[in-house]
Amino acid sequence: MRKRNRRAKLPRIYVCHTYYHVYVTFLKELKLLREAGGSAEDIGKADLVLSSLSNHFEDLKGRVERIGLFREVMEFDEKREDFFPELARWMAQETGEPGFRAKQLYQWLHQKQVTSFDAMTNLPAALRQKLGKLGKIAQVETELLLESKLDETRKFLFRLEDGNCVETVWMEYHHGPSLCISTQVGCRMGCRFCASTLDGLERNLTPGEMLGEIYEAQRQMGRRISSLVLMGIGEPLDNLPNVLTFLGILSSAEGQRLGLRHVSLSTCGLVDGIRALMKENLGLTLSVSLHAANDETRSGIMPVNRRYPIGELMEACREYFRVTGRRISYEYALIDGVNDSEAKARELAALLRGQNCHVNLIPVNPVKERETKRSSRAAVERFVRQLGELGINATVRRELG
C-alpha cells in the first residue's frame, strides 16, 4: 500500500480549524444574543445555523482525530481567545453594554484604528456619546517627519499627550515596510555610545502609546507594516509589563494581527527580563546588544554589565534558546579602537562558539556628545571576514537613511 503524504492532510486541518473557529464564535454570539434579550425568531434561526455547523464540525473532527491531529487544531484556537477581557469588564461596569459591544469597540480601535468614537458607526449613537464622556482615544501626533535623500526611510518625531517626544523609523525592505519604535521616553541604561541615555529615563510608554506609534505611522504612509523592531528609544525589558500587553494587542486576531515571528525585541542584557520573556514563549526574535566579549570592555561601554556580567548573560541566552527554540541575534556596534581589533573578533568567536546565533555588526553612529568613533570600512570588513573564518554567522547591518 502506498503511504499517504502527510502534506496532503494539512488542508483538512485548516478546514477543520475554520469550522471549529466559526462554530465556537457563533456559539458565543448566540449566548450574547440571548443575554441581550433577542427575539425568539432570531434565536430560533441562530439555533438552526448552529445545529448545521455542529454537524459539519463533528464530522470533520472525527476524521482529523483519526489521523491524530485534532489536538493541534484545538491548541491553535485556544491561543486566540480572551483578547479583550479588560475592555469587556470595563464596558460592562461603565456602560452596562453586553460583551459583543466590547468586541466592536476593540476592532474599531485596533483593527480599523480610528481616532474618534464618532467614526464607530456600528455602535449606537448614545453609546458613542457616553464613551466620549468617559474618556478619549489616546493618540500620538506627528511633530516632525524627515525623509531620507538616499532611500525611502522616514523618521518620525511623535509628540505624546504630555508633551514628551519619541522617535520612530519607517524602513523599506524587499519583503515590505518595517517600523522601529520606542518603548520609553529616554533610557536609564547609560550605554556610552547611545544618544537616548543622555537625559536619563523620563517614563515608560503605555501600551496605547506604543500602538499609537504604529497606527500613526501607518496613517501617514498609507500602508501597514509587515515587521516590527523594538529598538528605538528605551530598553523594552525595563518596561516589560506594558510591552507584553502591547504585543498581545498587536498580534490579536481582532487587532493588527501582526504575527510575533515578525517582531524583534532588542535588549542591552537585562537577564531577569530575558528569563521573564522566555517564559512567555512568544516566538519573537530576541536581539541582545553585546558589543564586547569580555567584562572589562563591556562594563566600560555598557554599565548594565556590572549588574549582569557576560557569563550570566550568556547562560540566560542559552537557556532562552533551549526553551523557545528561537535563534538569538547579537548586536555588536563596532567602535574604533575599542572593540574592532582582530583580537576582539577572536574573543567574540570564542564566546559564541556552539550557540545557534547570528551576529549583526553595526558601524556605530557618531554622537556629538560622545567620544566614540565608528570603525573604518576596512576594519569592519576585516572583522566580519574573521568571524566567518572562525565559524560565526555574521553580517554587517544595512545602513538606511
Side-chain angles (χ1 to χ4, degrees):
M1 180 182 295
R2 188 178 68 177
K3 291 184 178 180
R4 297 180 65 187
N5 190 328
R6 183 177 175 85
R7 184 180 296 275
K9 300 172 185 175
L10 292 179
R12 190 175 294 167
I13 297 174
Y14 299 144
V15 171
C16 184
H17 174 264
T18 299
Y19 268 108
Y20 175 72
H21 184 59
V22 171
Y23 173 76
V24 171
T25 301
F26 202 89
L27 192 63
K28 292 177 180 177
E29 295 293 341
L30 179 58
K31 181 181 178 182
L32 292 173
L33 180 64
R34 286 179 171 141
E35 290 175 350
S39 69
E41 182 180 1
D42 287 343
I43 292 175
K45 290 178 180 178
D47 275 327
L48 287 175
V49 174
L50 188 63
S51 177
S52 177
L53 280 172
S54 177
N55 290 336
H56 284 292
F57 169 64
E58 290 299 328
D59 177 55
L60 278 166
K61 175 184 173 183
R63 296 183 195 178
V64 176
E65 279 180 331
R66 284 195 292 274
I67 59 175
L69 292 173
F70 188 65
R71 180 180 298 276
E72 178 181 341
V73 177
M74 297 286 286
E75 287 176 349
F76 179 80
D77 196 85
E78 286 169 1
K79 295 175 184 177
R80 298 164 60 99
E81 298 182 2
D82 297 327
F83 50 80
F84 58 92
E86 289 187 37
L87 183 60
R89 286 194 293 271
W90 180 84
M91 284 282 285
Q93 293 171 359
E94 298 294 335
T95 70
E97 294 286 340
F100 74 90
R101 291 298 186 198
K103 180 177 180 179
Q104 291 174 324
L105 176 58
Y106 187 98
Q107 289 173 324
W108 280 112
L109 292 173
H110 301 299
Q111 193 174 85
K112 300 172 185 176
Q113 298 168 14
V114 300
T115 58
S116 73
F117 294 114
D118 290 337
M120 302 178 182
T121 51
N122 64 348
L123 298 184
L127 177 56
R128 281 179 269 162
Q129 291 178 358
K130 184 181 292 186
L131 290 171
K133 292 178 181 177
L134 288 171
K136 62 179 180 178
I137 300 173
Q139 298 179 51
V140 302
E141 296 182 359
T142 302
E143 181 78 5
L144 182 66
L145 172 57
L146 300 176
E147 301 182 13
S148 171
K149 295 180 180 179
L150 302 176
D151 50 37
E152 298 178 276
T153 302
R154 303 288 187 273
K155 179 180 282 189
F156 294 92
L157 182 67
F158 288 138
R159 183 170 294 279
L160 309 175
E161 292 189 341
D162 64 358
N164 283 303
C165 292
V166 293
E167 291 183 353
T168 303
V169 180
W170 180 284
M171 300 163 288
E172 293 287 351
Y173 293 97
H174 68 276
H175 55 74
S178 182
L179 196 69
C180 177
I181 69 165
S182 298
T183 55
Q184 295 178 308
V185 179
C187 181
R188 61 176 175 172
M189 297 298 113
C191 298
R192 300 289 185 248
F193 49 84
C194 182
S196 302
T197 68
L198 290 171
D199 295 322
L201 176 66
E202 178 67 26
R203 66 173 178 85
N204 291 327
L205 292 187
T206 67
E209 288 170 330
M210 286 181 268
L211 290 163
E213 293 180 70
I214 298 173
Y215 299 168
E216 177 63 14
Q218 291 179 152
R219 279 192 287 269
Q220 292 284 341
M221 300 300 293
R223 288 184 294 155
R224 292 208 169 191
I225 59 172
S226 59
S227 60
L228 180 71
V229 184
L230 279 66
M231 202 179 289
I233 298 172
E235 163 57 56
L237 297 186
D238 193 34
N239 186 19
L240 187 56
N242 284 346
V243 166
L244 291 177
T245 300
F246 156 75
L247 292 173
I249 296 172
L250 179 71
S251 60
S252 67
E254 303 299 333
Q256 175 94 8
R257 301 190 71 169
L258 182 67
L260 295 184
R261 289 185 179 271
H262 301 288
V263 175
S264 294
L265 182 151
S266 177
T267 177
C268 67
L270 300 185
V271 168
D272 293 344
I274 291 173
R275 289 204 164 98
L277 183 66
M278 174 187 71
K279 292 176 182 177
E280 299 293 329
N281 204 359
L282 299 177
L284 52 74
T285 296
L286 178 65
S287 296
V288 176
S289 295
L290 188 56
H291 309 312
N294 67 70
D295 284 325
E296 182 180 0
T297 304
R298 193 167 191 264
S299 294
I301 58 177
M302 300 184 70
V304 69
N305 195 73
R306 298 166 194 158
R307 174 64 180 86
Y308 300 109
I310 288 178
E312 192 174 340
L313 174 60
M314 289 298 102
E315 178 53 38
C317 290
R318 286 189 288 268
E319 185 180 358
Y320 185 91
F321 175 74
R322 285 195 299 269
V323 171
T324 68
R326 297 288 290 168
R327 184 181 76 164
I328 289 178
S329 176
Y330 289 105
E331 311 290 327
Y332 195 97
L334 288 162
I335 305 171
D336 183 45
V338 176
N339 63 356
D340 62 347
S341 67
E342 292 184 22
K344 297 297 185 185
R346 290 193 297 270
E347 200 172 46
L348 179 60
L351 178 68
L352 301 181
R353 189 166 291 118
Q355 286 197 46
N356 188 338
C357 65
H358 173 261
V359 176
N360 198 359
L361 298 173
I362 311 162
V364 71
N365 287 319
V367 177
K368 65 179 182 179
E369 295 89 350
R370 304 293 196 188
E371 297 179 356
T372 53
K373 297 179 181 179
R374 68 163 48 197
S375 301
S376 67
R377 181 183 296 273
V380 172
E381 292 175 352
R382 182 182 64 241
F383 202 93
V384 69
R385 183 175 61 251
Q386 190 167 7
L387 286 179
E389 292 170 353
L390 293 169
I392 301 299
N393 183 5
T395 54
V396 180
R397 177 184 290 174
R398 171 190 167 198
E399 294 191 69
L400 298 170

